[in-house]
Amino acid sequence: MPKPILQVIIGSTRPGRVGPSIARWFYDLAVADRSFDVELVDLAEVNLPLFDEPKHPRFKSYEHEHTKDWARTVSRADAFVFVIPEYNHSYNAATKNAIDYLHYEWNYKALGIVSYGGMAMGVRAIQALKPIFMALRLFYCGEVTIPLPSVPVVDGVFSGNDVLNAGAKAILKEIADVAPSLKTIRDAHAS
Ligand SMILES: Cc1cc2nc3c(=O)[nH]c(=O)nc-3n(C[C@H](O)[C@H](O)[C@H](O)COP(=O)(O)O)c2cc1C
């Protein structure tokens, strides 16, 4: 049986961001776990414009090639771990924009969130993001919050620590546990 596809999505897009370093840390743990085929998806590379589809994504009647490409990427995944920064007590705009482009492509898939920020550790970003994912019927498998002042990115490398590594592994275990059941639900809806 093929392994579930887990996409680690880098939410931040600005030059000089630390998002890719933190995503790489989670990606390496996910690959080492061996339960998944792991893909790294960088919203800076996906490079979506501000949402510009005339129809609601529920219709899946996409006009633009960038939307069709994004839909193909998200469709093939069984699970996502969003790696997001906290900006102004919330999550960043590029993440919301990328989510809003699609609808059914997100449904009944497993989700984890890795969030980071100052002393608030990205907690407020996660709290703001959770209801959006509930609206899209994603199954929540946990979170890791990272206080950058005490666990920084050094020379482009994020190494985590025992607590963060344990949190990441707990997300991966939960995703591996629920992914087959969620696939059964998606298959039932499709038939
Ligand atoms: C526009 C902006 C707003 C920010 N607001 C917050 C905030 O409200 N809380 C916080 O803990 N950190 C905040 N930060 C700090 C970021 O979490 C930190 O700079 C982090 O590196 C941003 O992620 P990125 O480097 O991947 O873009 C903010 C940073 C930016 C650029």
Side-chain angles (χ1 to χ4, degrees):
M1 217 166 78
K3 293 178 183 177
I5 294 177
L6 168 64
Q7 291 179 345
V8 179
I9 299 182
I10 304 170
S12 68
T13 58
R14 70 182 179 91
R17 66 209 161 119
V18 302
S21 305
I22 295 172
R24 171 58 64 173
W25 159 75
F26 192 93
Y27 174 89
D28 288 345
L29 289 171
V31 170
D33 184 89
R34 298 164 71 102
S35 304
F36 310 98
D37 284 330
V38 193
E39 299 179 0
L40 202 51
V41 177
D42 185 350
L43 292 189
E45 285 174 15
V46 174
N47 199 21
L48 291 163
L50 274 180
F51 184 54
D52 62 353
E53 283 293 335
K55 296 204 176 113
H56 192 295
R58 277 176 188 270
F59 294 110
K60 284 184 122 175
S61 178
Y62 302 130
E63 191 164 288
H64 300 296
E65 219 41 54
H66 55 252
T67 315
K68 292 175 192 168
D69 287 346
W70 180 226
R72 274 191 288 272
T73 297
V74 172
S75 289
R76 70 170 175 265
D78 298 288
F80 312 96
V81 169
F82 275 77
V83 179
I84 53 158
E86 179 163 314
Y87 286 175
N88 294 316
H89 298 198
S90 186
Y91 57 93
N92 67 316
T95 296
K96 181 68 158 62
N97 190 51
I99 294 168
D100 287 345
Y101 260 95
L102 307 175
H103 183 85
Y104 291 113
E105 294 85 349
W106 299 114
N107 287 182
Y108 302 107
K109 295 181 177 178
L111 166 76
I113 303 179
V114 173
S115 184
Y116 53 92
M119 292 319 290
M121 308 190 297
V123 169
R124 295 171 295 203
I126 290 181
Q127 294 305 338
L129 192 50
K130 267 186 186 170
I132 285 92
F133 285 131
M134 284 176 70
L136 290 165
R137 296 181 172 79
L138 283 134
F139 187 95
Y140 197 58
C141 294
E143 64 206 35
V144 170
T145 55
I146 299 171
L148 290 174
S150 48
V151 196
V153 172
V154 179
D155 296 332
V157 176
F158 182 76
S159 305
N161 60 28
D162 287 350
V163 173
L164 297 175
N165 289 346
K169 286 176 186 172
I171 293 175
L172 291 166
K173 180 176 185 322
E174 180 90 355
I175 291 176
D177 285 349
V178 302
S181 303
L182 292 169
K183 173 132 181 39
T184 303
I185 293 171
R186 291 201 303 281
D187 290 347
H189 281 216
S191 62

